[in-house]
Amino acid sequence: MSTHLTHTPYAGPSRPFTIGLSALDPARWIEPDEDLPRYLGEKRDLITTLRDAVFRATDDSLPAQRECLSALLTHLGTCHPQTHRRDGNRMQVAGHIIDLADETLLPLLRAGLLIQDDLVIMMKRDAGWSIAAAHLSFPSSWSLAEKFDRPMEAVHEHVPGFEDGTRNAAMINRIFDNLLPDQPAERFNWSINWKEKLFHPETGRNDAAEPDEAVVRVERQTLTKLPETGAIVFTIRIYLDPVTVFGKHPDGRRLATSLADQLEGLTEPQLRYKGLERQRSRLVARLRQDAAAENRI
């Protein structure tokens, strides 16, 4: 098992259930790594077997889909030519050839099959910023069918502190309104799952699991406004960090302690949302035990 952990927001200064946006260097929009073949292979399988579960698009999102694909191709060609080799309308990536001009696949489908990130296109409606199109292969305990073509207040209706009428809900709409095309943003989120699964629409709750089975599911999210259509591309990249890795990691003591601290800081509504009311004490005890261990590999 690899001990490399790319992003550890559970051990940083930010706290769960906050917006926590920061400026993003456009060159870092997409971050392919050695797991690229595995992610893309699972995406292809999901499109074949569960297409309606992982892809939805409104008719009026087509111009934004095209602009998203064009922006992504420019970025990959400029910043990642070693992993994405383009020859005309063909892109070679992770041992497969993607036909970029294949009109039997909508542009966002083609775009999503090039990268590990999920892609969500937000468009401004009368009801507010809404999910107009999504290639969502790796959901974190939510269903695209339930959230598709709904405004952000409805998407976040069960998230503590982000419900309609809250300060955070109003801030999200202002952020989306004021986002500039040349100033993308980045944020992180994390949750606890009990299996190393990328496609995870089901709840993260598992009251019977042992603490050693816990997996920190990290989401790296970015926001980029498209200059022509004014739509926003929301990317979500999933990283899976089993807590057992902390015992072998050179910074494992700090990681275990920080995650335990963040878990202990969750309120009851936040615990219920994350499905951790019954598991928190057991998981925190295990993390504290790991942090207190003297010998680390």
Side-chain angles (χ1 to χ4, degrees):
M1 177 187 296
S2 172
T3 61
H4 177 68
L5 303 175
T6 305
H7 298 289
T8 56
Y10 47 88
S14 63
R15 289 293 178 262
F17 299 95
T18 59
I19 294 175
L21 278 179
S22 60
L24 173 66
D25 179 354
R28 292 186 51 246
W29 185 25
I30 304 298
E31 297 183 337
D33 60 22
E34 66 276 4
D35 284 328
L36 182 63
R38 178 168 68 94
Y39 280 61
L40 296 189
E42 186 159 341
K43 282 191 174 191
R44 289 190 298 271
D45 290 343
L46 288 165
I47 287 298
T48 301
T49 59
L50 293 170
R51 178 164 174 160
D52 287 345
V54 301
F55 185 82
R56 297 286 178 103
T58 61
D59 291 342
D60 66 344
S61 71
L62 190 55
Q65 291 186 56
R66 290 191 179 114
E67 189 179 4
C68 174
L69 176 59
S70 176
L72 183 61
L73 291 174
T74 298
H75 172 80
L76 295 174
T78 301
C79 299
H80 303 292
Q82 71 280 11
T83 56
H84 293 74
R85 298 177 176 86
R86 184 174 181 178
D87 181 10
N89 285 325
R90 294 161 64 84
M91 177 78 82
Q92 181 176 339
V93 53
H96 285 263
I97 301 294
I98 304 296
D99 182 355
L100 303 175
D102 182 2
E103 293 297 332
T104 66
L105 296 178
L106 287 170
L108 199 67
L109 267 174
R110 282 172 266 161
L113 291 172
L114 296 172
I115 58 175
Q116 289 157 276
D117 310 57
D118 283 333
L119 292 166
V120 178
I121 290 180
M122 312 293 301
M123 292 176 59
K124 185 72 176 287
R125 311 284 197 198
D126 290 342
W129 287 92
S130 304
I131 297 177
H135 190 165
L136 186 81
S137 297
F138 309 134
S140 297
S141 300
W142 63 284
S143 163
L144 177 57
E146 294 176 359
K147 307 295 186 183
F148 174 64
D149 206 20
R150 301 186 69 192
M152 293 306 296
E153 290 85 353
V155 171
H156 292 146
E157 63 182 337
H158 299 301
V159 182
F162 286 79
E163 305 92 339
D164 190 14
T166 61
R167 179 173 178 271
N168 281 332
M171 283 182 64
I172 288 174
N173 278 293
R174 286 199 299 272
I175 289 168
F176 282 19
D177 286 339
N178 296 328
L179 191 67
L180 298 176
D182 58 347
Q183 295 181 14
E186 175 185 60
R187 72 181 296 271
F188 291 89
N189 193 19
W190 62 266
S191 55
I192 299 294
N193 290 169
W194 303 93
K195 291 183 179 179
E196 289 189 64
K197 291 177 57 179
L198 289 170
F199 179 68
H200 199 294
E202 67 271 20
T203 176
R205 179 186 299 278
N206 187 338
D207 295 338
E210 293 299 320
D212 281 352
E213 298 176 66
V215 179
V216 189
R217 185 182 185 91
V218 175
E219 300 175 51
R220 176 185 181 255
Q221 305 172 353
T222 74
L223 294 168
T224 301
K225 183 165 282 187
L226 300 173
E228 295 179 13
T229 59
I232 290 175
V233 179
F234 176 51
T235 71
I236 311 165
R237 168 67 194 279
I238 300 298
Y239 299 85
L240 302 175
D241 298 351
V243 297
T244 52
V245 168
F246 297 164
K248 306 175 182 68
H249 194 279
D251 201 22
R253 189 187 305 268
R254 182 184 66 85
L255 295 172
T257 298
S258 296
L259 178 56
D261 290 344
Q262 291 216 17
L263 287 167
E264 287 186 328
L266 295 176
T267 66
E268 287 302 318
Q270 292 169 347
L271 280 174
R272 285 194 297 273
Y273 179 78
K274 288 185 176 289
L276 290 171
E277 312 100 293
R278 298 181 182 177
Q279 284 282 24
R280 175 173 64 176
S281 60
R282 299 176 67 219
L283 181 53
V284 166
R286 173 54 200 261
L287 291 166
R288 299 287 188 209
Q289 177 182 336
D290 284 350
E294 294 182 2
N295 297 322
R296 294 202 171 272
I297 298 175

